[in-house]
Amino acid sequence: MQDTDPTPASRIASLTDWLRLESARGVGLRTAHQLLAAFGSPRAIFQAGHDALAAHLGPALARALHAPPSQATRTLIDTTLAWLASPSHHVLALGDVAYPQALANIPDPPLLLYIRGRIDLLARPALAIVGSRNATVQGKANASAFAGALSDAGVCVVSGLALGIDAAAHEGALRGTGSTIAVVGTGADLFYPARNRALAERIANEGCIVSEYALGTPPTSGNFPRRNRIISGLSSGVLVIEAAAQSGSLITARVAAEQGREVFALPGSIHAPLAKGCHQLIRDGARLVETVKEVLEAMQVSPLASVPATSSTNALPTESACTELLAQLGHEPLDVDELLERLDTNISQLSMGLLALEMAGMIERLPGGKVQRIHI
Amino acid sequence: MQDTDPTPASRIASLTDWLRLESARGVGLRTAHQLLAAFGSPRAIFQAGHDALAAHLGPALARALHAPPSQATRTLIDTTLAWLASPSHHVLALGDVAYPQALANIPDPPLLLYIRGRIDLLARPALAIVGSRNATVQGKANASAFAGALSDAGVCVVSGLALGIDAAAHEGALRGTGSTIAVVGTGADLFYPARNRALAERIANEGCIVSEYALGTPPTSGNFPRRNRIISGLSSGVLVIEAAAQSGSLITARVAAEQGREVFALPGSIHAPLAKGCHQLIRDGARLVETVKEVLEAMQVSPLASVPATSSTNALPTESACTELLAQLGHEPLDVDELLERLDTNISQLSMGLLALEMAGMIERLPGGKVQRIHI
């Protein structure tokens, strides 16, 4: 599939609609979700009549949505399509087969995910590691050691590419097969903070960088807290290594708990300022952990499970695997679960195969977890 | 009351019965509790007929109980009465008004408590502090600081006079008004371990030493674990400062939890061997604490409450207070709760007054929390 044009016409049209929706003035994420719930897809929203849209948005916003895209939006669409020419760049829209199911289930999932690097990592068991930017040497060593051991067990370590605990966790995780995902608060084409540029480039090459922000979005203070819901949303749990009382890591942990994720916290001395946040979390119900083994047991991941590293930075399946998948798909809408039973594969491999076919415009996703072959 | 003979005839007779019961061969603590539940008092047990006793004990033990006390038992009785000649020495029997109610409510309360020093401390709000004998310097500093602050708030700190955390807790608590109780695993007339002799003498003078073991009982390994149930039994909670995994402090904490006491634990570094026990307790439901304030809040003791120190080492009430109490008692059995309402006093002072009168043979305790004046 590597030789197939990664952005066929149907895919371009769909992506254009998503970018128009996300760029529409006055339409925030919450409104976009309401419109998607009402109409089903960006295409259906733009095809809806004025009265139907106005019932949700009022007449002014409905008229604005019906207007042709602005120059800025057209430039963004062009920039995004050009960026997607690189085989290691991807955009997933909410509802795409490869869009991580765990993230899709949070209350406010991103409409689009910009992905740079190994998109296959999105299908791995994942754990977030977060903590203070002003971490101690011991805290950073703990973050790196936990991340390395989790990654060795095949768990992908998710963090936010900040200084301190985040950077140490990414670095530790890059050593193992589980690798790492950095969820950034800027466009996926930018590197921030500057001090982590070398690390960010390594993650782009060996791991995966994820952003919900349009390409070129500069760092703004409001975007970083929003980004935290994706860090926990991609993960089955959040491990807090060091955190001051009333710090941002505690907000991440609270959001994670609201998303139903397990929160883990490392204890420390009663005299250590950066243990206070972790102790507060433990008082509030977080699981106190001393070892990686405890985290893996809680995640129900065997510490002995070793997932082979993928050598390619673009881990889409081979053409023969896709041909077999297409053959199984037949000509009727098919449930993904049923497909999984028919094929000698796992959900991760199947998702990647379906993603490749979807990006090639050869299948489409239908409501209710079904997929169908497109006959051209 | 200080000039009154502390061991009048009725008191001597009662104590003799208790010592005979406790010294009886083949009658352990559990059997003694069964007999007390059946017959009501040691006196009633010894006055019971052979068949009634044999129904509980079998004929051989029943015959042994009816036999006159052995020479060893008579010597013990003499030794105990001689020891009681010191005004700072006391023996409380289960059911005595001054026997601490919290301890009486555990499943296996001691029949007798030998007390050396300030018996008034038994009526204070109390917290146990326990931990490793091989504590770190920081652990001992934490124990001393927590104990000092608790004692400053009027809380009596209970521990086991062992090396390490126990000793540091006693030393810290001696600085404040709450003072300290050392529950020892030998006779109350012995000092063990030798390295804590100076501390034990200070506690005997300024605080209180408590033992359930007959005078002269040497240190034996089995007695120290049994002693731990008294440490927690006297306390409303147990604070574990440092403890290795699978150490004795964890057993004390488990017993405390079984007694319905709150367990508190100080966290520490994941790399500290003596934090592992505390972390296990926190995982099992113990309350993680960083400050004394949290402990006081959980105990519902105000950190500002300051109880004046008692200057006397023998804090029995004045003669005038006892006279007033006797006047209120009148001639009918009276409920202690009703007595408390009539008098301008608190339960602690009232208990001490009743104890003084009981020890002077001027009142007797009746079933159902009632007391009655004895007319001689």
Side-chain angles (χ1 to χ4, degrees), chain B residues 157-361:
Chain B
V157 174
V158 183
S159 196
L161 197 60
L163 301 175
I165 295 298
D166 283 17
H170 288 305
E171 279 161 5
L174 280 170
R175 294 198 307 259
T177 58
S179 196
T180 196
I181 293 172
V183 183
V184 299
T186 65
D189 53 337
L190 303 183
F191 291 111
Y192 181 87
R195 277 171 60 189
N196 278 347
R197 186 185 176 102
L199 175 61
E201 287 180 347
R202 255 194 89 194
I203 296 173
N205 287 324
E206 304 171 35
C208 179
I209 288 178
V210 170
S211 173
E212 72 174 316
Y213 297 107
L215 296 172
T217 302
T220 57
S221 59
N223 287 349
F224 290 91
R226 298 268 315 143
R227 172 269 315 259
N228 294 342
R229 82 190 196 289
I230 306 177
I231 293 177
S232 49
L234 285 171
S235 310
S236 62
V238 172
L239 171 62
V240 184
I241 300 267
E242 278 190 330
Q246 285 151 13
S247 61
S249 301
L250 304 198
I251 298 170
T252 305
R254 182 174 54 73
V255 169
E258 286 168 4
Q259 290 174 350
R261 308 307 194 244
E262 179 127 39
V263 179
F264 305 92
L266 251 60
S269 161
I270 59 169
H271 305 289
L274 290 180
K276 294 204 183 303
C278 290
H279 293 160
Q280 190 53 52
L281 291 173
I282 293 166
R283 283 195 202 91
D284 293 347
R287 191 189 284 244
L288 181 156
V289 288
E290 292 177 299
T291 63
V292 170
K293 187 162 169 279
E294 296 164 84
V295 179
L296 291 173
E297 281 171 1
M299 290 178 74
Q300 299 185 305
V301 171
S302 161
L304 301 173
S306 182
V307 181
T310 313
S311 57
S312 165
T313 58
N314 184 7
L316 294 182
T318 60
E319 185 154 355
S320 73
C322 285
T323 306
E324 187 192 342
L325 190 48
L326 270 183
Q328 285 296 337
L329 270 171
H331 305 273
E332 301 297 321
L334 195 65
D335 199 273
V336 173
D337 288 340
E338 200 181 324
L339 199 55
L340 188 63
E341 280 178 29
R342 288 195 196 173
L343 291 161
D344 181 25
T345 185
N346 58 43
I347 184 71
S348 165
Q349 286 177 336
L350 177 60
S351 296
M352 297 314 301
L354 291 172
L355 172 69
L357 293 173
E358 191 180 13
M359 289 170 73

Side-chain angles (χ1 to χ4, degrees), chain A residues 142 271 279 283 290 294, chain B residues 142 271 279 283 290 294:
Chain A
N142 289 343
H271 305 289
H279 293 161
R283 282 194 203 91
E290 293 177 298
E294 296 164 85
Chain B
N142 290 342
H271 305 289
H279 293 160
R283 283 195 202 91
E290 292 177 299
E294 296 164 84

Side-chain angles (χ1 to χ4, degrees), chain A residues 120-180:
Chain A
D120 65 300
L121 294 180
L122 293 173
R124 291 222 174 199
L127 187 92
I129 295 183
V130 299
S132 175
R133 285 172 172 75
N134 305 309
T136 65
V137 171
Q138 182 64 62
K140 287 187 274 193
N142 289 343
S144 178
F146 271 75
L150 286 162
S151 177
D152 281 341
V155 173
C156 182
V157 173
V158 184
S159 195
L161 198 59
L163 301 174
I165 296 298
D166 284 18
H170 288 306
E171 280 162 6
L174 280 170
R175 294 198 306 259
T177 57
S179 195
T180 196

